[in-house]
Amino acid sequence: MKIKKYVADDFQVAFKQAKHEMGRDAIILSSRQIKKGGLFGFFASTKYELTVAVDDNIKIERDKLRTSEVRTRTVPAAAAVQEIKPNRVSEQESQLLNEMYMINNMLTDIKDKMYEVELIKGISEPVQKFYKTLINNNVDKEIALRMANQVERQLPAGKGNYDCLSDVCRHTLQGFLSDIAPIKLDKGETARIVVVVGPTGVGKTTTIAKLAANLTFLESRRVAFITLDTYRVSAAEQLKTFADIIDVPIKVVFSPADLKEAIADYSDRDIIFIDTAGRSPYNQEHMEELHDFLEVAQADETILVLSVNTTTPDSLSIYHEFNRIGVDKLIFTKLDETNRYGQILNIISEIKKPVAYFTTGQNVPDDIEVPDPFKFARMVMEKGDAYERPS
Ligand SMILES: Nc1nc2c(ncn2[C@@H]2O[C@H](COP(=O)(O)OP(=O)(O)OP(=O)(O)O)[C@@H](O)[C@H]2O)c(=O)[nH]1
Ligand SMILES: [Mg+2]
């Protein structure tokens, strides 16, 4: 199956282009209006996006039918009509199917819009702008509506007061990101065990290096590393390099028994970071293996690292899989790679776990911060025109 997207100024143009390139067997999988171009969301123009697919198997069947159509011309007329008919019908069917997909998609779009209009009907116009700002940030509709309603309820009588509105919006957003829990070492505490888990490539090892460097240099804490990542060539080397630079000891362990020993060896350290191999959470065998290690580790905190580049549904399923082994906190990485932060709100609204850190780049140790709800709210609000004063 070949799938391709077509974007044009109007639906007909996109449709014709798709038909021209993909052939008449192509079917429309989805159609939607999108905004393109512009500056900070202003002056963006409306385009139509068609996702079109063509199934090679159908094409082959169709070609076979066409060949049979040619062949049937040599057989007696009555039989030929019967043979040709299925081909003609299926062409018409394909045409009809396309039309039906088109109509169906348009109806779904209209239904969605009506539903949205119905939902935000009770909200005053300035607050609807806040709602749109949240949607621009990819906040889920349901959560955006909940926030908008919250703002609406808190607004005093003079709803047109934009200064007041911006304060209430910011305050509401801050409320959603209020559970912040960075790593805290109690006075005199030793051998705090922090395990960092997550899918591949989200930034687990880099984040551990940032945390370790800051704890070592800024708080004069005695840190140790243990890595369970023996799967990827150079994985342990990566943490060893950081360990050398920061000057902290490191052990590479291959079995739960090794892990027990390594933890015992570092019992005089203030904090032990355990780095794990990035694994697909859907691989049961790997998850069981991780579970065996974690049973031995008896971590004080297990932190799940999620990249903001992963979609909300994917992040939620990743969380649910990792939560089988127990997740205490979250770290969101790669905030520098997006300017839509709704993802974070969607996830924390759903799973209600504290956020320990945001990471904002590849630089060790600088690109990490304890989430600041005020700053976060401002970043979300900058993505939209909620605070534009009426002229
Ligand atoms: N832009 C950006 N890149 C980051 C950030 N954190 C980590 N990275 C980069 O992401 C890549 C993967 O980082 P790692 O720390 O190796 O990720 P990991 O989760 O340990 O990967 P595996 O151990 O392979 O699962 C590296 O190129 C990092 O420099 C961040 O906050 N922003
Ligand atoms: Mg790693």
Side-chain angles (χ1 to χ4, degrees):
M1 166 144 342
K2 220 167 38 187
I3 298 179
K4 208 171 163 186
K5 279 193 191 334
Y6 291 88
V7 178
D9 287 340
D10 76 48
F11 187 88
Q12 289 305 327
V13 174
F15 185 63
K16 272 189 189 152
Q17 203 185 341
K19 279 280 181 187
H20 178 70
E21 276 187 39
M22 301 283 270
R24 56 186 174 171
D25 295 313
I27 52 169
I28 297 168
L29 296 179
S30 71
S31 71
R32 64 183 183 123
Q33 279 187 357
I34 53 169
K35 294 266 183 208
K36 276 213 143 181
L39 197 62
F40 303 118
F42 294 104
F43 314 119
S45 57
T46 303
K47 303 263 181 197
Y48 288 84
E49 184 196 75
L50 274 189
T51 307
V52 177
V54 64
D55 188 336
D56 292 338
N57 292 332
I58 292 177
K59 232 177 171 166
I60 291 164
E61 285 304 313
R62 174 71 51 83
D63 289 346
K64 272 194 211 155
L65 276 166
R66 274 187 206 123
T67 320
S68 80
E69 181 182 336
V70 174
R71 261 193 256 116
T72 53
R73 293 193 195 287
T74 58
V75 302
V81 170
Q82 273 202 337
E83 293 250 4
I84 294 165
K85 217 173 159 191
N87 188 22
R88 289 211 178 120
V89 170
S90 80
E91 268 176 35
Q92 283 171 351
E93 273 175 355
S94 158
Q95 193 80 33
L96 266 173
L97 210 63
N98 279 332
E99 306 287 329
M100 274 163 59
Y101 267 115
M102 249 167 59
I103 294 167
N104 190 28
N105 281 321
M106 280 174 177
L107 281 175
T108 313
D109 280 355
I110 292 168
K111 256 183 2 201
D112 272 3
K113 286 209 173 80
M114 279 170 61
Y115 180 62
E116 206 177 328
V117 168
E118 184 64 24
L119 286 177
I120 58 174
K121 212 163 58 182
I123 298 173
S124 60
E125 202 196 314
V127 182
Q128 286 189 24
K129 284 193 168 185
F130 174 59
Y131 172 82
K132 281 188 194 142
T133 300
L134 297 175
I135 297 297
N136 283 345
N137 271 281
N138 291 344
V139 174
D140 284 348
K141 279 184 187 165
E142 208 182 300
I143 297 165
L145 195 71
R146 200 166 1 126
M147 285 190 189
N149 273 315
Q150 210 167 309
V151 168
E152 187 72 35
R153 279 199 304 275
Q154 288 174 45
L155 276 187
K159 285 174 180 170
N161 183 338
Y162 276 74
D163 287 334
C164 162
L165 175 67
S166 112
D167 283 348
V168 176
C169 293
R170 187 178 294 123
H171 195 259
T172 303
L173 277 165
Q174 283 174 231
F176 269 74
L177 182 73
S178 54
D179 198 358
I180 311 290
I183 295 169
K184 275 221 156 33
L185 283 169
D186 295 333
K187 220 171 168 203
E189 182 181 357
T190 53
R192 184 170 189 82
I193 299 171
V194 177
V195 177
V196 177
V197 297
T200 48
V202 286
K204 298 178 293 299
T205 306
T206 314
T207 302
I208 288 179
K210 291 171 184 174
L211 290 170
N214 286 325
L215 281 162
T216 306
F217 301 129
L218 303 180
E219 296 186 30
S220 306
R221 296 292 188 169
R222 300 181 73 234
V223 179
F225 288 152
I226 295 175
T227 179
L228 312 182
D229 192 352
T230 51
Y231 301 95
R232 211 164 35 87
V233 184
S234 81
E237 281 311 312
Q238 184 192 6
L239 194 60
K240 270 184 184 161
T241 309
F242 287 129
D244 280 349
I245 298 167
I246 310 165
D247 194 21
V248 301
I250 176 167
K251 282 184 196 288
V252 182
V253 307
F254 292 85
S255 69
D258 283 351
L259 177 60
K260 200 170 182 176
E261 217 171 281
I263 291 173
D265 286 349
Y266 289 144
S267 58
D268 63 332
R269 292 269 146 180
D270 296 335
I271 183 162
I272 304 166
F273 282 104
I274 302 182
D275 191 14
T276 59
R279 292 306 193 77
S280 158
Y282 308 109
N283 183 322
Q284 283 314 314
E285 196 190 322
H286 293 167
M287 291 304 280
E288 275 164 27
E289 214 174 87
L290 182 60
H291 178 259
D292 292 345
F293 276 108
L294 293 196
E295 255 191 358
V296 170
Q298 293 295 308
D300 292 289
E301 45 193 300
T302 301
I303 308 184
L304 172 65
V305 179
L306 294 172
S307 159
V308 289
N309 291 331
T310 314
T311 63
T312 300
D314 282 344
S315 293
L316 289 175
S317 7
I318 289 167
Y319 163 78
H320 288 299
E321 292 303 323
F322 276 102
N323 198 36
R324 290 165 192 256
I325 51 168
V327 168
D328 300 305
K329 297 175 181 179
L330 305 173
I331 290 178
F332 288 100
T333 57
K334 311 197 182 184
L335 265 75
D336 54 307
E337 290 185 0
T338 184
N339 60 359
R340 293 170 198 268
Y341 307 98
Q343 165 92 310
I344 296 171
L345 290 168
N346 296 338
I347 294 167
I348 56 180
S349 302
E350 168 84 19
I351 65 184
K352 299 187 171 55
K353 286 274 161 91
V355 184
Y357 299 96
F358 286 159
T359 78
T360 54
Q362 295 179 290
N363 294 320
V364 179
D366 291 340
D367 295 339
I368 187 161
E369 55 194 47
V370 175
D372 174 350
F374 183 86
K375 185 174 160 189
F376 179 75
R378 206 183 54 210
M379 285 179 345
V380 171
M381 295 198 313
E382 271 166 10
K383 182 89 200 146
D385 57 357
Y387 308 97
E388 190 195 6
R389 282 160 194 278
S391 47

